Amino acid sequence: WSATENITSRRRSFPPMARSFDTIEWSFDEPSGIGRVVLDRPDSLNALSATLRTEFDEAFAAFRDLDESADGVAVRAVVVSGAGRAFCVGADVDEFAEGTDLTHPEMVYEAASQFAGPVVAEIDGYCLGGGLVLALSCDFRFASERSEFGLPEVDLGIPTVGGGLGALRAAVGPSRAKRLAVTGERFDAERAAADGIVSEALPNEELSERVDSFAETIASKPPLAVRSSLDIVEAYGHEPPAQLERREDQRLRQSEDYREAVAAFREDREPEFDGR
């Protein structure tokens, strides 16, 4: 069996963990190590209300708690998606009109970007404004062909914030990022894939299966090496790459996962990684 098949077979033997929130659905499948967060305000196209922002942050805090209480790494990957016709359309404009306190709106983006493990965005439908920033705060993005992207903040007289323009610049280059930021133009999933904003644009009916397969693949890898690789990519430009790579290589060569990987290779068997 492949490692992914092993995870799938083990998953069927255990019920998933779940916690209760008002504006999101949260779950964690212990055997596979895959967590899921579904933005669940379909009537408002999953707009980022104050409650949703707070609960999204709490959802990732719950994943961190699982890691901290585990003997090793519990959470191997997290999938973020949206209920209904949208991934997320960004800020809740009704709250602007009502004068709701929008202090620290960036916490919803930092919850994903600062999580140590890989986060995968499953985008099906509208992905606009802060919703696109949220997607960009994830490590990987897959979209259905019916998805639609854009940054409409300029039409409200404000810039896109939350680190989204920096992430967009890294994905598409400064000229394209500036154009999207100042025009508010919409674009489809095919263009998002060509720009590098999403990894793949898929037929609508194939999206969930592809995301599940991808999440299971990265969940089957040694979790310390996965997290270290993400850190190295993020750190380029902030720390000398060679220095960072040497440090991480030396650290991981002392791990139990490294010893298990070498032993499994020599013994021609599937490895079992614990994140230690």
Side-chain angles (χ1 to χ4, degrees):
W1 284 359
S2 69
T4 301
E5 288 171 336
N6 228 355
I7 287 172
T8 303
S9 65
R10 284 186 284 128
R11 177 192 292 176
R12 299 191 188 103
S13 302
F14 295 82
M17 297 173 58
R19 297 194 183 191
S20 177
F21 293 94
D22 292 328
T23 62
I24 65 172
E25 294 180 8
W26 183 100
S27 63
F28 176 65
D29 184 58
E30 185 175 2
S32 68
I34 297 175
R36 296 181 185 275
V37 178
V38 181
L39 310 182
D40 192 24
R41 298 186 68 214
D43 291 343
S44 65
L45 301 179
N46 302 317
L48 298 172
S49 66
T51 300
L52 190 151
R53 295 197 307 273
T54 298
E55 292 192 336
F56 192 83
D57 186 60
E58 291 173 352
F60 277 86
F63 290 132
R64 290 195 299 273
D65 289 344
L66 287 172
D67 271 344
E68 290 171 2
S69 62
D71 182 15
V73 174
V75 184
R76 307 297 184 91
V78 175
V79 176
V80 178
S81 61
R85 298 183 295 117
F87 175 74
C88 176
V89 295
D92 191 329
V93 179
D94 289 339
E95 291 191 347
F96 286 155
E98 295 167 1
T100 301
D101 183 12
L102 297 178
T103 304
H104 303 305
E106 69 278 2
M107 69 180 179
V108 70
Y109 314 123
E110 293 174 350
S113 66
Q114 295 182 4
F115 183 67
V119 182
V120 184
E122 180 180 328
I123 303 165
D124 186 21
Y126 296 111
C127 183
L128 304 173
L132 179 52
V133 178
L134 178 59
L136 288 165
S137 73
C138 300
D139 299 294
F140 308 98
R141 292 164 293 281
F142 296 82
S144 67
E145 292 176 340
R146 65 185 164 207
S147 296
E148 185 175 330
F149 301 80
L151 296 173
E153 287 92 340
V154 67
D155 293 321
L156 294 173
I158 57 176
T160 300
V161 296
L165 293 183
L168 185 64
R169 185 185 192 277
V172 306
S175 180
R176 175 74 171 150
K178 289 175 182 177
R179 173 172 172 160
L180 295 175
V182 304
T183 64
E185 68 182 57
R186 304 283 185 94
F187 54 100
D188 61 19
E190 184 177 354
R191 181 58 195 261
D195 280 344
I197 292 174
V198 300
S199 300
E200 297 177 34
L202 298 146
N204 308 334
E205 65 276 8
E206 296 178 13
L207 176 64
S208 292
E209 183 178 353
R210 178 70 180 101
V211 170
D212 287 349
S213 174
F214 181 77
E216 288 170 354
T217 296
I218 55 177
S220 74
K221 306 298 182 182
L224 295 180
V226 169
R227 293 184 174 198
S228 177
S229 298
L230 295 177
D231 289 344
I232 290 172
V233 172
E234 288 295 331
Y236 266 75
H238 304 289
E239 181 177 351
Q243 176 181 325
L244 175 64
E245 289 173 354
R246 282 196 300 271
R247 188 185 72 234
E248 287 299 288
D249 181 67
Q250 292 169 0
R251 182 176 72 88
L252 292 187
R253 285 178 185 273
Q254 304 303 313
S255 70
E256 292 183 20
D257 278 357
Y258 174 75
R259 290 190 287 272
E260 167 64 7
V262 172
F265 177 79
R266 289 175 174 169
E267 297 165 12
D268 192 25
R269 60 174 174 81
E270 289 292 339
E272 296 184 5
F273 299 118
D274 295 317
R276 295 198 298 268

Coordinates of all heavy atoms in Angstrom, one line a residue, residues 7 11 15-19 21 24-39 56 59-64 66-67 73-81 112 115 117-122 138-139 208 211-212 214-220 227:
I7 N -3.3 5.9 5.1 CA -4.0 6.9 5.8 C -5.5 6.7 5.6 O -6.3 6.8 6.6 CB -3.5 8.3 5.4 CG1 -2.1 8.6 5.9 CG2 -4.5 9.4 5.9 CD1 -1.5 9.9 5.4
R11 N -8.2 6.0 8.5 CA -9.2 7.0 8.8 C -10.6 6.4 9.0 O -11.4 6.8 9.9 CB -9.3 8.0 7.6 CG -10.4 9.1 7.9 CD -10.7 9.9 6.6 NE -9.5 10.7 6.3 CZ -9.5 11.5 5.2 NH1 -10.5 11.4 4.3 NH2 -8.5 12.2 4.9
P15 N -13.8 7.8 14.5 CA -14.7 8.9 14.2 C -13.9 10.2 14.3 O -12.9 10.3 15.1 CB -15.7 8.9 15.4 CG -14.9 8.2 16.5 CD -14.0 7.2 15.8
P16 N -14.2 11.3 13.5 CA -13.5 12.5 13.6 C -13.8 13.3 14.9 O -14.9 13.2 15.4 CB -14.0 13.3 12.4 CG -15.3 12.7 12.1 CD -15.3 11.3 12.5
M17 N -12.9 14.1 15.3 CA -13.1 15.1 16.4 C -13.8 16.3 15.8 O -13.7 16.6 14.7 CB -11.8 15.5 17.1 CG -11.0 14.4 17.7 SD -9.4 15.0 18.2 CE -9.9 16.3 19.4
A18 N -14.6 17.0 16.7 CA -15.3 18.2 16.2 C -15.5 19.1 17.3 O -15.6 18.7 18.5 CB -16.7 17.8 15.5
R19 N -15.6 20.4 17.1 CA -15.9 21.4 18.1 C -17.0 22.3 17.5 O -17.2 22.4 16.3 CB -14.6 22.2 18.4 CG -13.5 21.4 19.0 CD -12.5 22.3 19.6 NE -11.4 21.5 20.2 CZ -10.4 21.9 20.9 NH1 -10.4 23.2 21.3 NH2 -9.5 21.1 21.4
F21 N -18.8 25.9 16.7 CA -18.7 27.3 16.5 C -20.0 27.8 15.9 O -20.8 27.0 15.3 CB -17.5 27.6 15.6 CG -16.1 27.3 16.2 CD1 -15.5 26.1 16.0 CD2 -15.5 28.2 17.0 CE1 -14.3 25.8 16.6 CE2 -14.2 28.0 17.5 CZ -13.6 26.8 17.3
I24 N -18.3 28.9 11.7 CA -17.5 28.0 11.0 C -17.8 26.6 11.4 O -18.4 26.4 12.5 CB -16.0 28.3 11.2 CG1 -15.6 28.0 12.7 CG2 -15.6 29.7 10.8 CD1 -14.1 28.1 13.0
E25 N -17.4 25.7 10.6 CA -17.4 24.3 11.0 C -15.9 23.8 11.2 O -15.1 24.1 10.3 CB -18.0 23.4 9.9 CG -19.5 23.6 9.7 CD -20.1 22.8 8.6 OE1 -19.4 21.9 8.1 OE2 -21.2 23.0 8.2
W26 N -15.6 23.2 12.3 CA -14.3 22.8 12.6 C -14.3 21.3 12.9 O -15.1 20.7 13.5 CB -13.8 23.5 13.9 CG -12.4 23.2 14.4 CD1 -11.4 24.0 14.2 CD2 -11.9 22.1 15.1 NE1 -10.2 23.5 14.8 CE2 -10.6 22.3 15.4 CE3 -12.5 20.9 15.6 CZ2 -9.8 21.4 16.1 CZ3 -11.7 20.0 16.3 CH2 -10.4 20.3 16.6
S27 N -13.3 20.6 12.3 CA -13.1 19.2 12.5 C -11.7 18.8 12.4 O -10.9 19.4 11.8 CB -14.0 18.3 11.6 OG -13.5 18.5 10.2
F28 N -11.4 17.6 13.1 CA -10.0 17.1 13.0 C -10.1 15.6 12.9 O -10.8 15.0 13.8 CB -9.2 17.5 14.2 CG -7.8 16.9 14.2 CD1 -6.9 17.2 13.2 CD2 -7.5 16.0 15.2 CE1 -5.6 16.6 13.3 CE2 -6.2 15.4 15.2 CZ -5.3 15.7 14.2
D29 N -9.5 15.0 11.9 CA -9.5 13.5 11.8 C -8.2 13.0 12.3 O -7.1 13.2 11.7 CB -9.6 13.2 10.3 CG -9.7 11.7 10.0 OD1 -10.6 11.1 10.6 OD2 -8.8 11.2 9.3
E30 N -8.2 12.4 13.5 CA -7.0 12.0 14.2 C -6.1 11.0 13.4 O -4.9 11.2 13.4 CB -7.4 11.5 15.6 CG -6.1 11.2 16.4 CD -6.6 10.8 17.8 OE1 -7.8 10.7 18.1 OE2 -5.7 10.5 18.7
P31 N -6.7 10.0 12.8 CA -5.8 9.0 12.1 C -5.0 9.6 11.0 O -3.8 9.3 10.8 CB -6.8 8.0 11.6 CG -8.0 8.1 12.5 CD -8.1 9.5 12.8
S32 N -5.6 10.5 10.2 CA -4.9 11.1 9.1 C -4.1 12.4 9.5 O -3.2 12.8 8.8 CB -5.8 11.5 8.0 OG -6.7 12.5 8.3
G33 N -4.5 13.0 10.6 CA -3.9 14.3 11.0 C -4.4 15.5 10.2 O -3.8 16.5 10.2
I34 N -5.5 15.3 9.5 CA -6.0 16.4 8.7 C -7.1 17.2 9.4 O -8.1 16.6 9.8 CB -6.5 15.9 7.3 CG1 -5.3 15.2 6.5 CG2 -7.1 17.0 6.5 CD1 -5.7 14.6 5.2
G35 N -7.0 18.5 9.5 CA -8.0 19.3 10.1 C -8.7 20.0 9.0 O -8.2 20.2 7.9
R36 N -10.0 20.5 9.3 CA -10.8 21.2 8.3 C -11.5 22.4 9.0 O -12.0 22.2 10.1 CB -11.8 20.3 7.7 CG -11.1 19.2 6.8 CD -12.1 18.3 6.2 NE -11.4 17.2 5.5 CZ -10.9 17.2 4.3 NH1 -11.0 18.3 3.6 NH2 -10.3 16.2 3.8
V37 N -11.5 23.5 8.3 CA -12.3 24.7 8.7 C -13.1 25.1 7.5 O -12.6 25.3 6.4 CB -11.3 25.8 9.1 CG1 -12.2 27.0 9.5 CG2 -10.4 25.4 10.3
V38 N -14.4 25.1 7.7 CA -15.4 25.5 6.7 C -16.0 26.9 7.1 O -16.6 26.9 8.2 CB -16.5 24.5 6.4 CG1 -17.4 25.0 5.3 CG2 -15.9 23.1 6.1
L39 N -15.8 27.9 6.3 CA -16.5 29.2 6.6 C -17.9 29.0 6.3 O -18.3 28.6 5.2 CB -15.9 30.3 5.7 CG -14.4 30.4 5.7 CD1 -14.0 31.6 4.8 CD2 -13.8 30.6 7.0
F56 N -12.4 32.0 13.5 CA -11.3 31.4 12.6 C -10.0 31.4 13.4 O -9.3 30.4 13.3 CB -11.2 32.3 11.4 CG -10.4 31.7 10.3 CD1 -10.9 30.7 9.4 CD2 -9.0 32.0 10.1 CE1 -10.1 30.2 8.4 CE2 -8.3 31.5 9.1 CZ -8.8 30.5 8.3
A59 N -10.2 28.6 15.8 CA -10.0 27.3 15.2 C -8.6 26.9 15.1 O -8.2 25.7 15.3 CB -10.7 27.4 13.8
F60 N -7.7 27.8 14.6 CA -6.3 27.5 14.5 C -5.6 27.4 15.9 O -4.7 26.6 16.0 CB -5.6 28.5 13.6 CG -5.8 28.2 12.1 CD1 -6.9 28.6 11.4 CD2 -4.9 27.4 11.5 CE1 -7.1 28.2 10.1 CE2 -5.0 27.0 10.1 CZ -6.2 27.5 9.5
A61 N -6.1 28.1 16.8 CA -5.6 27.9 18.2 C -5.9 26.5 18.7 O -5.1 25.9 19.4 CB -6.2 29.0 19.1
A62 N -7.1 26.0 18.3 CA -7.4 24.6 18.7 C -6.5 23.6 18.0 O -6.1 22.6 18.6 CB -8.9 24.3 18.3
F63 N -6.1 23.9 16.8 CA -5.1 23.0 16.1 C -3.8 23.1 16.8 O -3.1 22.1 17.0 CB -5.0 23.4 14.6 CG -6.2 23.0 13.8 CD1 -6.7 24.0 12.9 CD2 -6.8 21.8 13.9 CE1 -7.9 23.7 12.1 CE2 -7.9 21.5 13.1 CZ -8.4 22.4 12.2
R64 N -3.4 24.3 17.2 CA -2.1 24.4 17.9 C -2.2 23.7 19.2 O -1.2 23.0 19.7 CB -1.8 25.9 18.2 CG -1.4 26.7 16.9 CD -0.7 28.0 17.2 NE -1.6 28.9 18.0 CZ -2.5 29.7 17.4 NH1 -2.6 29.8 16.1 NH2 -3.3 30.5 18.2
L66 N -3.8 21.0 19.9 CA -3.7 19.6 19.6 C -2.2 19.2 19.4 O -1.8 18.2 19.9 CB -4.5 19.2 18.3 CG -6.0 19.1 18.4 CD1 -6.6 19.0 17.0 CD2 -6.4 18.0 19.3
D67 N -1.5 20.1 18.7 CA 0.0 19.8 18.5 C 0.7 19.8 19.8 O 1.6 19.0 20.1 CB 0.6 20.9 17.6 CG 0.5 20.5 16.1 OD1 0.2 19.3 15.8 OD2 0.7 21.3 15.3
V73 N 3.8 15.5 16.3 CA 3.0 16.5 15.5 C 1.6 15.8 15.3 O 1.5 14.7 14.6 CB 3.6 16.8 14.2 CG1 2.7 17.7 13.3 CG2 4.9 17.6 14.4
A74 N 0.5 16.4 15.8 CA -0.8 15.8 15.6 C -1.4 16.3 14.3 O -2.0 15.5 13.5 CB -1.7 16.2 16.7
V75 N -1.3 17.6 14.0 CA -2.0 18.2 12.8 C -1.0 18.2 11.6 O -0.1 19.0 11.6 CB -2.5 19.6 13.1 CG1 -3.3 20.1 11.9 CG2 -3.3 19.6 14.4
R76 N -1.3 17.3 10.6 CA -0.4 17.2 9.5 C -0.7 18.2 8.4 O 0.1 18.5 7.6 CB -0.4 15.8 8.9 CG -0.2 14.7 10.0 CD 1.3 14.8 10.6 NE 1.6 13.7 11.5 CZ 2.1 12.5 11.1 NH1 2.4 12.3 9.9 NH2 2.4 11.6 12.0
A77 N -2.0 18.6 8.3 CA -2.5 19.5 7.3 C -3.8 20.1 7.7 O -4.6 19.4 8.4 CB -2.5 18.9 5.9
V78 N -4.2 21.3 7.2 CA -5.5 21.9 7.5 C -6.0 22.3 6.1 O -5.3 23.0 5.3 CB -5.4 23.1 8.4 CG1 -6.8 23.8 8.6 CG2 -4.9 22.6 9.8
V79 N -7.3 22.0 5.9 CA -8.0 22.4 4.6 C -9.0 23.5 5.0 O -9.8 23.3 5.9 CB -8.7 21.2 3.9 CG1 -9.5 21.7 2.7 CG2 -7.7 20.2 3.5
V80 N -9.0 24.6 4.3 CA -9.9 25.7 4.6 C -10.8 25.8 3.3 O -10.3 25.9 2.2 CB -9.2 27.1 4.8 CG1 -10.2 28.2 5.0 CG2 -8.3 26.9 6.0
S81 N -12.1 25.9 3.5 CA -13.1 26.0 2.4 C -14.3 26.9 2.9 O -14.3 27.3 4.0 CB -13.6 24.6 2.0 OG -14.2 23.9 3.0
A112 N -3.9 31.6 9.7 CA -3.5 30.6 8.7 C -2.0 30.8 8.4 O -1.3 29.8 8.4 CB -4.3 30.7 7.4
F115 N 0.3 29.5 11.2 CA 0.2 28.2 11.7 C 1.4 27.4 11.1 O 1.8 27.5 10.0 CB -1.1 27.5 11.2 CG -1.3 26.1 11.7 CD1 -1.5 25.9 13.0 CD2 -1.3 25.1 10.8 CE1 -1.7 24.6 13.5 CE2 -1.4 23.8 11.2 CZ -1.6 23.5 12.6
G117 N 1.9 24.2 10.4 CA 1.7 23.1 9.4 C 1.2 23.7 8.1 O 0.8 24.8 8.0
P118 N 1.1 22.8 7.1 CA 0.6 23.3 5.8 C -0.9 23.5 5.8 O -1.7 22.7 6.4 CB 0.9 22.1 4.9 CG 1.1 20.9 5.8 CD 1.6 21.4 7.1
V119 N -1.3 24.6 5.2 CA -2.7 25.0 5.1 C -3.1 25.1 3.6 O -2.4 25.7 2.8 CB -3.0 26.3 5.8 CG1 -4.5 26.7 5.7 CG2 -2.5 26.3 7.2
V120 N -4.2 24.4 3.3 CA -4.6 24.3 1.9 C -6.0 25.0 1.7 O -6.9 24.7 2.5 CB -4.8 22.8 1.4 CG1 -5.1 22.7 0.0 CG2 -3.5 22.0 1.7
A121 N -6.1 25.9 0.8 CA -7.4 26.6 0.5 C -8.1 25.9 -0.6 O -7.5 25.7 -1.7 CB -7.1 28.0 0.1
E122 N -9.3 25.5 -0.4 CA -10.2 24.9 -1.4 C -11.2 25.9 -1.8 O -12.1 26.2 -1.0 CB -10.9 23.6 -0.8 CG -11.8 22.9 -1.7 CD -12.5 21.7 -1.1 OE1 -11.9 21.0 -0.3 OE2 -13.6 21.4 -1.5
C138 N -2.8 31.2 2.9 CA -2.7 29.7 3.0 C -1.4 29.3 2.2 O -1.0 30.0 1.3 CB -3.9 29.0 2.5 SG -5.4 29.4 3.4
D139 N -0.9 28.1 2.4 CA 0.3 27.7 1.7 C 0.0 27.2 0.3 O 0.8 27.3 -0.6 CB 1.0 26.6 2.5 CG 1.4 27.0 3.9 OD1 2.3 27.8 4.0 OD2 0.8 26.5 4.9
S208 N -13.0 18.9 -4.7 CA -12.9 18.3 -3.4 C -12.0 17.1 -3.4 O -11.1 16.9 -2.5 CB -14.2 18.0 -2.8 OG -15.0 19.2 -2.6
V211 N -8.3 18.1 -3.7 CA -7.8 18.7 -2.5 C -7.6 17.6 -1.4 O -6.6 17.6 -0.7 CB -8.8 19.8 -1.9 CG1 -8.4 20.2 -0.5 CG2 -8.8 21.0 -2.9
D212 N -8.6 16.7 -1.3 CA -8.4 15.6 -0.3 C -7.1 14.8 -0.6 O -6.4 14.4 0.3 CB -9.6 14.7 -0.4 CG -10.9 15.3 0.3 OD1 -10.7 16.3 0.9 OD2 -12.0 14.7 0.1
F214 N -4.5 15.7 -2.3 CA -3.3 16.5 -2.0 C -3.0 16.6 -0.5 O -1.9 16.4 0.0 CB -3.4 17.9 -2.6 CG -2.2 18.8 -2.3 CD1 -1.1 18.7 -3.1 CD2 -2.2 19.8 -1.4 CE1 0.0 19.5 -2.9 CE2 -1.1 20.6 -1.1 CZ 0.0 20.4 -1.9
A215 N -4.1 16.9 0.3 CA -3.9 16.9 1.8 C -3.4 15.6 2.3 O -2.5 15.6 3.2 CB -5.2 17.3 2.4
E216 N -3.9 14.5 1.8 CA -3.5 13.2 2.3 C -2.0 12.9 1.9 O -1.3 12.3 2.7 CB -4.4 12.1 1.7 CG -5.8 12.1 2.3 CD -6.8 11.2 1.6 OE1 -6.4 10.6 0.6 OE2 -7.9 11.0 2.1
T217 N -1.6 13.4 0.8 CA -0.2 13.2 0.3 C 0.7 14.0 1.3 O 1.7 13.4 1.8 CB 0.0 13.7 -1.1 OG1 -0.8 12.9 -2.0 CG2 1.4 13.7 -1.5
I218 N 0.5 15.2 1.6 CA 1.4 16.0 2.4 C 1.3 15.5 3.9 O 2.2 15.6 4.6 CB 1.2 17.5 2.3 CG1 -0.2 17.9 2.6 CG2 1.7 18.0 1.0 CD1 -0.4 19.4 2.5
A219 N 0.1 15.0 4.3 CA -0.1 14.5 5.6 C 0.7 13.2 5.8 O 1.0 12.8 6.9 CB -1.6 14.2 5.9
S220 N 1.0 12.5 4.7 CA 1.8 11.3 4.8 C 3.3 11.5 4.9 O 4.0 10.5 5.2 CB 1.5 10.4 3.6 OG 2.1 10.9 2.4
R227 N 7.2 21.0 7.7 CA 7.1 22.3 8.4 C 8.4 23.1 8.2 O 8.4 24.3 8.0 CB 6.8 22.2 9.9 CG 5.4 21.6 10.1 CD 5.0 21.5 11.5 NE 3.6 21.2 11.7 CZ 2.9 21.3 12.8 NH1 3.4 21.9 13.9 NH2 1.6 21.0 12.8

